[in-house]
Amino acid sequence: MVRDIAIPDERAVASPPLGAGYPARLLTLPSRAGEAQRRLAGRMLLDLKGVEPPVYVMRSDSFDGTSGKLISWHRASSWLQPRHCEDIGNGVSVVLPEYALMQMARALTPAKLALLMFEACGIYTLAPQTQRMELVIHDLIAQDVLRPGVVLGGDDGVREFADARGRRVAFVDARGEDLGWQLSFDRMGNPTNLWKRPPLTSHACLERVVEELAGARGIRTAAKALALCCDGSGSPAESRALMMLCGPCWEGGEGWPWPSVNRRIDFDDQARCLAGTSYAVGDAVWMDKRVILEVKGYAYHADRQGFHEEEGRTAALEHMGFSVFSLTYDQMADLELFESRVHALAWLLGFPLKTRSRSFLMRRERLHRELFEG
């Protein structure tokens, strides 16, 4: 719905909040405009409203085009094939997620690339915050079309990544249709840039692509990034926590075994009474240890109702035999606070801590800086 709503030209160029503040010069193409410009210009107010100009356009053949306000030309990787792309109509294709990540590997560190892999393999996305995107979302909220709990593009939304037996869920509803996308609101009712949606790819699929493109530029970085990520993350905070705790020691992580991520835990009758729900979804679950790590974002406990809901949920999980350990974003962002929390969680899990050698501490500090600075 957000993608397909067309923004009228007059609203596109008007100033926020009534308009998107879009440069009027991009609505009128010069007479000498090339074919690519003509294919893209009108779509910037339709399905490409989430893309900020200039649009990065790749070509594999030689060309004389110069970059401008609408298009920035780039040469495609030598390995890029038509089968690596998806046609979105009118002669325009986008690179599939797996191969887009490999393309980005040429310019990113393993940690930065791993964050994008977590998102692609997870059940969330950070939507681009272009003014055109924000305008449409603001209008949908004002019209009460988009609000907390509303799912776009399907009858049901994504609730968990793994079922109660630890198996990846199908991400289809009872009719076999793909689950829809759902905008996340904070506890004050304000929209965020976080959406819940089915995974775009998987860790196993990325591994196959790395093998397929062995020897290509950036693939060694992609291989290192794969060691830092897993399937099923539900938020950027979860991704960062998992990378610091379970990433390999040579990249600055603690090297712990990967947990089952966003796993459903069904409640018995007593637990249902305590929680007021029939199940919970643990952010990171070490089932053999009966330990759940809950990663809390910025909006945690912003109101009394949220506090009571969380208390009931924790009591229900403890009744089921789980120990629940909380880790906030602020505790992760401060390396000294994070160190103290890691010691406490290691004791609870019975995992050994990596020897705090000078070289390990330097690697960990570098990883932490890449994940949290800025």
Side-chain angles (χ1 to χ4, degrees):
M1 183 179 292
V2 174
R3 180 194 65 199
D4 292 337
I5 291 177
I7 304 174
D9 290 2
E10 60 273 16
R11 291 204 67 197
V13 299
S15 300
L18 299 178
Y22 190 65
R25 61 184 178 275
L26 294 184
L27 295 178
T28 304
L29 290 175
S31 57
R32 298 173 58 187
E35 183 65 23
Q37 289 176 295
R38 298 184 185 281
R39 292 179 181 181
L40 289 173
R43 300 179 74 158
M44 299 301 290
L45 303 182
L46 189 61
D47 58 330
L48 298 182
K49 66 174 66 69
V51 181
E52 199 68 77
V55 182
Y56 281 52
V57 178
M58 296 189 297
R59 291 182 59 165
S60 57
D61 56 339
S62 60
F63 59 92
D64 298 324
T66 57
S67 296
K69 294 180 174 61
L70 180 62
I71 289 178
S72 176
W73 288 106
H74 296 262
R75 188 172 298 280
S77 296
S78 59
W79 50 259
L80 193 65
Q81 302 294 323
R83 60 187 174 86
H84 299 153
C85 305
E86 180 169 341
D87 186 358
I88 60 172
N90 196 31
V92 178
S93 296
V94 293
V95 182
L96 292 170
E98 299 85 354
Y99 297 94
L101 288 165
M102 302 304 141
Q103 182 88 13
M104 287 184 254
R106 301 184 303 176
L108 297 176
T109 63
K112 295 290 188 183
L113 185 62
L115 279 177
L116 296 175
M117 288 181 170
F118 261 115
E119 183 175 339
C121 298
I123 54 174
Y124 73 94
T125 197
L126 294 174
Q129 296 299 285
T130 67
Q131 289 182 322
R132 303 182 304 287
M133 190 89 155
E134 291 180 342
L135 174 66
V136 169
I137 291 175
H138 177 271
D139 284 353
L140 290 173
I141 293 173
Q143 297 163 19
D144 200 36
V145 175
L146 191 58
R147 60 184 184 276
V150 169
V151 178
L152 300 183
D155 294 334
D156 296 315
V158 176
R159 297 181 179 86
E160 69 261 8
F161 178 81
D163 63 18
R165 297 177 63 181
R167 301 171 301 185
R168 185 182 191 273
V169 299
F171 297 107
V172 294
D173 60 20
R175 299 184 301 172
E177 302 289 337
D178 291 342
L179 297 182
W181 288 46
Q182 187 171 354
L183 179 60
S184 297
F185 291 75
D186 63 24
R187 289 196 177 276
M188 305 304 291
N190 301 311
T192 70
N193 66 334
L194 182 74
W195 290 73
K196 292 290 187 178
R197 53 102 174 101
L200 305 180
T201 185
S202 68
H203 191 276
C205 184
L206 291 179
E207 285 183 322
R208 290 194 294 270
V209 173
V210 166
E211 292 179 2
E212 173 193 344
L213 302 179
R217 182 184 170 194
I219 297 304
R220 291 183 63 184
T221 299
K224 291 180 180 179
L226 275 173
L228 283 165
C229 71
C230 68
D231 290 324
S233 177
S235 74
E238 289 178 28
S239 299
R240 286 169 166 82
L242 290 166
M243 203 181 304
M244 291 293 296
L245 295 173
C246 302
C249 300
W250 59 84
E251 293 290 349
E254 293 292 336
W256 291 355
W258 291 96
S260 183
V261 182
N262 280 287
R263 177 170 177 162
R264 178 180 177 127
I265 299 170
D266 290 328
F267 289 155
D268 60 21
D269 291 341
Q270 185 64 40
R272 290 192 190 99
C273 293
L274 289 167
T277 58
S278 60
Y279 69 94
V281 178
D283 292 345
V285 185
W286 286 273
M287 286 298 293
D288 57 333
K289 304 291 184 179
R290 306 296 283 183
V291 172
I292 299 173
L293 171 65
E294 292 292 305
V295 182
K296 308 300 181 184
Y298 292 116
Y300 178 56
H301 287 172
D303 56 28
R304 183 176 298 178
Q305 179 183 356
F307 176 81
H308 287 303
E309 288 175 356
E310 192 66 26
E311 286 294 291
R313 180 178 180 276
T314 300
L317 288 168
E318 290 175 345
H319 165 78
M320 297 289 293
F322 290 95
S323 297
V324 181
F325 188 93
S326 294
L327 184 64
T328 68
Y329 188 91
D330 289 339
Q331 290 168 350
M332 288 191 292
D334 186 309
L335 190 52
E336 290 187 10
L337 290 177
F338 179 71
E339 174 75 354
S340 66
R341 297 300 285 162
V342 168
H343 278 264
L345 182 56
W347 178 86
L348 186 62
L349 287 164
F351 291 161
L353 286 171
K354 172 68 178 174
T355 301
R356 266 42 184 170
S357 64
R358 183 172 181 271
S359 60
F360 171 75
L361 291 176
M362 289 178 62
R363 292 193 300 270
R364 188 183 64 156
E365 183 178 354
R366 183 179 66 247
L367 176 61
H368 186 270
R369 184 169 58 249
E370 287 198 62
L371 295 181
F372 292 98
E373 282 194 358

